[in-house]
Amino acid sequence: MGVPTVNAAVDERHPPMKVRRVTFDWSRTPVHWIPDAPAATHMVNFFQILLTTGEKWFVQCVQEATPYLDDPRLRAEIKDFIGQETVHARNHQGVLDQLLAQNGLPTDHITGPAHAQLAERAKKMAELARRSPRRFRRRLLFELGAVSAIEHYTAVVGEWIIKNTVLDECGADPVMLDLFRWHGAEEVEHRSVVFDVFEQLGGKYPLRAVSWAIAVALLSSTLAAGTVDLLRRDPAIKGPVTLPRIYRSYRKSVRRGQIPGMAMFFLKEGLIYLRPSHHPSQVCSTQLAVDYLKRSPAAQAAGYTPY
């Protein structure tokens, strides 16, 4: 993860993008879609809960930034970014509605307030832009810095899961794997967009570092707490769900290669992202993403070729 990749066939700084309106059938997917790995399964499941609102926040941020951008290529990339992120959020919402809720794990008490807060955020930002354009720009730049940091991690995880064969070998659900590999491939495609928006609006390195630190702290703590919540509410898990039991399950999956070790992952990738000379085009391989999209069952069923 995070190792620079050189590919002469693809413009890694400005790879082409396409909105693929894929759908998934969850009728045969078990809620424990990674066998014998409840902590890993629910860590990823809670990440999907975060994505349903998070990706809409990403879209809000770049939409608010667009009027201040003069670069026509970046404005076009934002349009594709918004399309891809919108489809991502919709498909992860399908997992919540059609898989988790039907297996005794409703998430409306989490997503409902989060969506309401997002709607309130949009109103407040519009009012702030009217009252104090300078303060609006400062807040927007900070949020774009946080989104850029998260986009680094989603792209790297996307490439990781495309390359990962352990999940297939252990019997993980192929539909869920296709969801994350398709999603990850598109994260690789648009990995530079928010970073470029941040820089073109005047974002500097100190703000990039601060926004990274806050984004990682909030993301990691929320992910940990949400994973514990899902495990404790899961009716299929028998016996007391204690923190030592959760940790043992988590470490077992890390050793098996089913999920990355979170602490080292956030630190290692953070050191890459925080290089002063860093640009997202220096990590991940667009060609690898394109190669997966050529064989993704969902992408092909939707009738889309990569480019």
Side-chain angles (χ1 to χ4, degrees), residues 72-261:
R73 177 159 63 178
L74 185 54
R75 291 170 71 99
E77 289 176 344
I78 286 174
K79 183 177 180 180
D80 290 331
F81 173 88
I82 290 172
Q84 288 188 339
E85 296 288 53
T86 300
V87 178
H88 296 172
R90 183 172 67 239
N91 277 287
H92 289 291
Q93 185 66 49
V95 176
L96 309 191
D97 296 339
Q98 301 166 34
L99 181 62
L100 296 188
Q102 293 181 13
N103 284 275
L105 286 168
T107 59
D108 290 350
H109 66 290
I110 302 172
T111 58
H115 289 146
Q117 289 173 6
L118 195 61
E120 184 64 22
R121 177 206 169 274
K123 293 178 183 178
K124 288 182 177 179
M125 288 295 281
E127 177 63 16
L128 188 60
R130 185 186 67 80
R131 289 189 296 105
S132 178
R134 181 174 295 182
R135 288 177 58 201
F136 167 79
R137 287 281 290 261
R138 284 203 301 265
R139 174 168 171 176
L140 180 58
L141 262 179
F142 171 79
E143 293 194 26
L144 286 167
V147 175
S148 174
I150 296 169
E151 284 285 293
H152 171 75
Y153 288 102
T154 55
V156 173
V157 168
E159 181 165 279
W160 176 85
I161 199 167
I162 290 172
K163 292 179 176 180
N164 184 289
T165 60
V166 171
L167 289 166
D168 303 87
E169 292 164 0
C170 77
D173 180 70
V175 181
M176 193 68 77
L177 289 180
D178 187 36
L179 166 71
F180 277 102
R181 286 168 175 162
W182 153 76
H183 184 163
E186 293 194 346
E187 291 294 325
V188 170
E189 283 185 323
H190 68 231
R191 65 193 184 276
S192 297
V193 174
V194 182
F195 187 94
D196 288 345
V197 172
F198 172 77
E199 289 207 322
Q200 289 205 18
L201 261 73
K204 303 300 182 184
Y205 182 82
L207 182 57
R208 169 150 65 99
V210 170
S211 57
W212 166 84
I214 294 175
V216 166
L218 291 174
L219 177 60
S220 58
S221 60
T222 304
L223 186 59
T227 302
V228 171
D229 173 66
L230 284 179
L231 287 162
R232 288 179 169 167
R233 290 195 295 119
D234 188 345
I237 297 177
K238 306 304 179 184
V241 182
T242 63
L243 290 179
R245 184 182 177 188
I246 292 170
Y247 185 72
R248 286 194 298 270
S249 176
Y250 162 76
R251 288 304 309 170
K252 182 178 179 181
S253 288
V254 171
R255 289 193 300 269
R256 288 177 171 178
Q258 295 169 333
I259 53 172

